[in-house]
Amino acid sequence: MAAKQRQKLTAMETETAAETATMDLIGEDLLHNILSRLPAESCASAACVNRSWNLIINRLLTLPNLSSALSCHPCLQGAVDEAVDKVLARPIRPQFVIASIGPSFDLEEAQCLISDRFSSEIPIITSISYGVFGQDANTNEFEEVQWDTWEDNKAHENFRDEDEGVLVTVGFLPGLTVDLIPLKKTRGLMTENFVHSIRERSFSRSGSSPMGILLFSDEDIDIKPVLAKLDYAFSSETAIVGDAGSKFLYQDGKAISPSNSRVSSSAAVALLFSRDTGKPPGVGETQFHVMLSTGVSPIGPKYKAVYVKAVSHDNSTRLMATTDEIDFNMDGETILDPIYDELGDHTHSRTLYVGVTKMRKCTSRHVDTNWIFMREFQMVLRGDYEYLYVHGDGIKSYDSFQFYHANSDLARASCNNVSNKMKLLKQDLNHLTDDHSISNGSMGMQKKSVFGGMMFACYGRGKLYFGKPNVDASPFLENFPGVTFSGTYCNGEIAHGDFSLYENGSKEHSSTRCSLHEFSTVYLVMSYTSPTLPQH
């Protein structure tokens, strides 16, 4: 009996050895190609087969990876399954998940369905958006989907009658760690603690400021003071982008907390990207490149606000104004009439904004107190024979402002400018061999490439605004075809930086900062630089 068992075991070992030998004959390159095509779950199982497979799969999983998929399935479960199955159709070790859903779907149910497909240790943010951009999970075609948010547009052919859809984006960024930091709200926004937490977490991870921050804020809060604090606390080397007006849920560890819940009191949430000082050998660097396409043009003279008063019951501000040429206090009608005349809008139906230049003293726990110039946009509500009324507060007497209006021609030109910038970036990254000094004094080479991108666009842009789809997406799609790209329509686009794009050639206040934009599109391009390899 024992002899038969030994014979059986010997036969099994021989068969296993033969199979292993057969696989070894395939060659590492071909095996790498085969394993790279496995779905994420199958790839995890294959890593347990033997040491050779494990090494290949670990190399695969340390490569930069941004995977995104869009499903317009009318059923939430079906849409989530289609999108998640697609993003996990190739090997990936997710560091974060970002999902956008249509307004017809239930946010809490969507968050639960998506989080069930991923580890509880992965940060997941799910938000309701005004529309999405992404690759269709079934056709692999790039789609721009706008969900109807304006009652007047319900009959327009460019808008979907149904508001269903799910966009899922999953990422692994080599050389970076990812943390989720919520902005708590008790009696007020705990802004100082929020900024301090971001800074402390980043310094504990890397000993330096963050590489990037993806920020999502609740539509019912005023995020401008938070952005001003972030802008002051972190230099332009920290990429800060996001959506300033949504409803969202998030997972951090095992928690699922609604941004608008009184229990969680989370008014905003940040995905924090820090340098990984403990990264293993052979891992390169991920970099962020932020670009902005503007969509508003200045019109009329510059004004100075006087007799300013905040109206708390409707979150507005009323004011009068003067100019260099007019020294008496002008009421709302006197201010607005010539602006609308210049636009040729005698019905006063065009949406206008005031771009207010504010000089404010800023403080932070880790930065010296200083005065800075910042520009904030506020929507014009109306004007009467007494005052001009604008949405929001924060304006002070003697702040200067100018009117801005949406301009599709400017937006197209601005998209072209962004495309040219991406072309220059592509040319720079396409130099596969850069002379680079390494530790032994010899020269080396690095490989650089763009592996993904994200976009945050104003919901007022899109098909109706431009007259055709995919105008906003075209700079990335044309310069980096085949590279993962996704995005959402927002009600407030976040990107901190200088204000030169709005100044129309003026050098006045050249250091003016602006973090929250109107009728704009923000691009976040992700590139990867491989480790320096010695030249032979």
Side-chain angles (χ1 to χ4, degrees):
M1 187 71 178
K4 289 183 179 180
Q5 288 180 338
R6 283 195 298 271
Q7 288 176 355
K8 187 176 181 179
L9 288 172
T10 302
M12 291 175 63
E13 290 170 355
T14 302
E15 184 179 351
T16 301
E19 289 176 353
T20 303
T22 302
M23 293 303 296
D24 288 342
L25 289 174
I26 291 177
E28 185 172 320
D29 289 343
L30 182 55
L31 185 58
H32 182 284
N33 189 296
I34 293 171
L35 294 175
S36 68
R37 298 171 186 271
L38 290 178
E41 291 184 8
S42 301
C43 188
S45 300
C48 303
V49 170
N50 58 40
R51 185 173 181 273
S52 174
W53 287 29
N54 184 273
L55 289 173
I56 292 173
I57 289 172
N58 275 329
R59 285 201 297 269
L60 282 171
L61 294 178
T62 59
L63 296 175
N65 199 340
L66 190 72
S67 182
S68 183
L70 162 66
S71 171
C72 290
H73 195 289
C75 167
L76 176 58
Q77 178 76 65
V80 168
D81 287 344
E82 284 186 354
V84 174
D85 287 346
K86 187 67 175 182
V87 299
L88 297 181
R90 290 289 186 269
I92 188 170
R93 183 181 290 155
Q95 289 176 306
F96 65 91
V97 179
I98 299 172
S100 300
I101 66 170
S104 293
F105 285 149
D106 182 80
L107 181 58
E108 185 173 356
E109 183 183 0
Q111 171 69 10
C112 291
L113 289 172
I114 294 167
S115 60
D116 284 346
R117 298 292 303 272
F118 297 92
S119 166
S120 61
E121 298 179 356
I122 298 173
I124 300 174
I125 300 174
T126 304
S127 65
I128 298 175
S129 71
Y130 291 82
V132 291
F133 311 80
Q135 189 178 41
D136 189 279
N138 295 309
T139 67
N140 291 326
E141 295 294 325
F142 189 85
E143 298 284 348
E144 174 185 316
V145 180
Q146 279 182 283
W147 293 308
D148 188 15
T149 55
W150 299 337
E151 288 297 322
D152 293 342
N153 292 331
K154 284 192 179 292
H156 199 282
E157 63 181 3
N158 281 333
F159 280 86
R160 291 178 180 264
D161 293 331
E162 302 85 7
D163 294 337
E164 299 95 354
V166 172
L167 174 73
V168 177
T169 301
V170 177
F172 175 78
L173 312 185
L176 298 181
T177 63
V178 183
D179 295 284
L180 188 144
I181 310 291
L183 169 60
K184 300 294 184 180
K185 183 177 182 181
T186 51
R187 294 182 180 178
L189 293 179
M190 300 177 67
T191 304
E192 190 66 42
N193 288 341
F194 180 61
V195 176
H196 177 72
S197 296
I198 290 174
R199 185 180 182 87
E200 288 299 300
R201 184 66 60 86
S202 180
F203 270 81
S204 69
R205 296 283 197 186
S206 65
S208 62
S209 293
M211 280 290 291
I213 298 171
L214 270 177
L215 186 64
F216 297 82
S217 73
D218 191 280
E219 62 185 1
D220 294 329
I221 73 159
D222 182 8
I223 196 65
K224 290 194 290 291
V226 180
L227 294 175
K229 186 75 73 172
L230 286 170
D231 188 69
Y232 184 65
F234 302 114
S235 72
S236 58
E237 293 181 358
T238 298
I240 303 177
V241 300
D243 181 353
S246 63
K247 292 292 184 184
F248 62 88
L249 295 168
Y250 65 86
Q251 168 182 296
D252 179 18
K254 296 182 180 180
I256 299 176
S257 306
S259 65
N260 58 346
S261 168
R262 297 177 182 176
V263 176
S264 66
S265 299
S266 295
V269 65
L271 272 182
L272 170 65
F273 299 90
S274 309
R275 293 177 179 86
D276 183 5
T277 55
K279 66 182 181 180
V283 175
E285 294 184 359
T286 298
Q287 294 179 304
F288 296 135
H289 313 268
V290 178
M291 302 175 192
L292 175 69
S293 168
T294 57
V296 291
S297 295
I299 187 170
K302 293 187 177 180
Y303 298 84
K304 186 168 290 185
V306 295
Y307 288 97
V308 179
K309 182 176 177 60
V311 184
S312 58
H313 70 84
D314 63 355
N315 190 29
S316 67
T317 298
R318 71 185 193 194
L319 56 91
M320 303 176 79
T322 63
T323 68
D324 290 341
E325 290 76 26
I326 302 175
D327 57 2
F328 66 86
N329 299 329
M330 292 182 286
D331 59 52
E333 290 182 349
T334 304
I335 296 170
L336 286 177
D337 283 346
I339 300 296
Y340 282 115
D341 286 344
E342 187 173 344
L343 288 171
D345 179 11
H346 303 294
T347 62
H348 291 202
S349 59
R350 293 280 292 275
T351 300
L352 288 177
Y353 300 89
V354 290
V356 186
T357 301
K358 304 176 180 182
M359 186 177 73
R360 301 289 187 266
K361 182 183 289 187
C362 283
T363 61
S364 180
R365 293 185 193 179
H366 305 281
V367 183
D368 293 337
T369 300
N370 205 349
W371 291 89
I372 65 168
F373 285 100
M374 53 188 177
R375 182 66 58 95
E376 294 180 354
F377 290 102
Q378 298 179 228
M379 183 183 291
V380 174
L381 301 176
R382 65 187 185 279
D384 59 25
Y385 63 92
E386 288 187 301
Y387 298 103
L388 174 70
Y389 296 83
V390 300
H391 179 71
D393 57 14
I395 302 176
K396 294 183 178 181
S397 292
Y398 306 112
D399 282 344
S400 64
F401 68 90
Q402 190 171 13
F403 287 98
Y404 287 79
H405 68 101
N407 185 330
S408 60
D409 290 336
L410 171 72
R412 283 193 185 89
S414 186
C415 279
N416 289 335
N417 290 337
V418 169
S419 183
N420 290 333
K421 290 180 180 179
M422 289 190 185
K423 189 176 297 182
L424 291 174
L425 174 65
K426 182 179 179 180
Q427 291 172 356
D428 177 51
L429 297 178
N430 276 346
H431 292 298
L432 299 182
T433 56
D434 289 342
D435 288 339
H436 213 75
S437 177
I438 53 180
S439 57
N440 62 7
S442 61
M443 301 307 292
M445 64 178 181
Q446 292 180 317
K447 183 175 181 180
K448 305 178 181 180
S449 61
V450 167
F451 67 90
M454 299 178 69
M455 178 171 68
F456 299 89
C458 174
Y459 72 89
R461 291 168 70 123
K463 301 170 187 177
L464 281 182
Y465 191 59
F466 293 111
K468 62 179 183 178
N470 297 336
V471 173
D472 281 313
S474 60
F476 191 95
L477 297 179
E478 291 171 1
N479 282 288
F480 307 107
V483 177
T484 299
F485 185 62
S486 64
T488 62
Y489 281 110
C490 309
N491 185 17
E493 309 82 59
I494 297 170
H496 88 142
D498 66 61
F499 192 68
S500 58
L501 286 168
Y502 295 105
E503 289 298 342
N504 205 21
S506 171
K507 298 203 182 275
E508 181 184 6
H509 303 320
S510 60
S511 61
T512 301
R513 311 287 292 176
C514 184
S515 294
L516 187 60
H517 308 271
E518 297 288 348
F519 273 89
S520 71
T521 297
V522 175
Y523 303 85
L524 177 66
V525 181
M526 304 176 188
S527 68
Y528 179 70
T529 304
S530 65
T532 304
L533 300 175
Q535 290 181 342
H536 299 291

